[in-house]
Amino acid sequence: MLQEFKTFIAQGNVLDLAVGVIIGAAFGKITTSLVEDIINPILGIVIGGVDFTQLKFVLKEAVDKTPEVAIKYGNFIQTLIQFLIIAWVIFMIVKAANRIKLSESQKK
């Protein structure tokens, strides 16, 4: 098993995965900033100047040191927007890669 693990590491799969994870994390931060700093303020103006991330349904008000219980649907919508942006970009990258592969296979 140890030999198989050494072979796996030597093949470069781990390095490729690590690079993918690092790039994915950086892309996630860019997308978060895009949604929080650009898209949400625009949506806030469109929906009447509301801070989009503060949208919530309060189920139980805060009492003394007990915090409120709330459904924070604004945060959910923000996360959903981030997911859709990431999914769209990945779709476009895969589509472009498939187009390049198809083009290369037609040349042969």
Side-chain angles (χ1 to χ4, degrees), residues 54-59 68-76:
Q54 298 302 315
L55 297 176
K56 61 186 173 183
F57 291 120
V58 177
L59 301 174
E68 74 179 6
V69 177
I71 298 173
K72 299 178 180 179
Y73 68 93
N75 284 336
F76 174 75

Side-chain angles (χ1 to χ4, degrees), residues 60-79:
K60 184 177 179 184
E61 296 289 337
V63 178
D64 296 323
K65 293 183 180 181
T66 306
E68 74 179 6
V69 177
I71 298 173
K72 299 178 180 179
Y73 68 93
N75 284 336
F76 174 75
I77 292 170
Q78 177 175 320
T79 303

Side-chain angles (χ1 to χ4, degrees), residues 70-89:
I71 298 173
K72 299 178 180 179
Y73 68 93
N75 284 336
F76 174 75
I77 292 170
Q78 177 175 320
T79 303
L80 183 63
I81 292 169
Q82 290 171 352
F83 168 76
L84 291 173
I85 291 170
I86 291 170
W88 177 256
V89 170

Side-chain angles (χ1 to χ4, degrees), residues 5-108:
F5 181 69
K6 287 180 183 178
T7 303
F8 174 73
I9 290 174
Q11 289 176 348
N13 294 340
V14 173
L15 182 60
D16 293 342
L17 178 61
V19 169
V21 167
I22 291 168
I23 290 174
F27 183 70
K29 288 182 179 188
I30 291 169
T31 304
T32 299
S33 177
L34 173 68
V35 172
E36 289 177 359
D37 301 330
I38 297 173
I39 294 174
N40 280 351
I42 294 170
L43 286 176
I45 291 171
V46 170
I47 61 174
V50 177
D51 181 4
F52 198 64
T53 59
Q54 298 302 315
L55 297 176
K56 61 186 173 183
F57 291 120
V58 177
L59 301 174
K60 184 177 179 184
E61 296 289 337
V63 178
D64 296 323
K65 293 183 180 181
T66 306
E68 74 179 6
V69 177
I71 298 173
K72 299 178 180 179
Y73 68 93
N75 284 336
F76 174 75
I77 292 170
Q78 177 175 320
T79 303
L80 183 63
I81 292 169
Q82 290 171 352
F83 168 76
L84 291 173
I85 291 170
I86 291 170
W88 177 256
V89 170
I90 290 171
F91 169 74
M92 296 305 289
I93 290 170
V94 169
K95 187 174 178 172
N98 288 340
R99 191 176 304 139
I100 290 170
K101 285 181 185 179
L102 181 62
S103 174
E104 287 177 359
S105 68
Q106 290 177 348
K107 289 179 182 179
K108 293 179 180 182

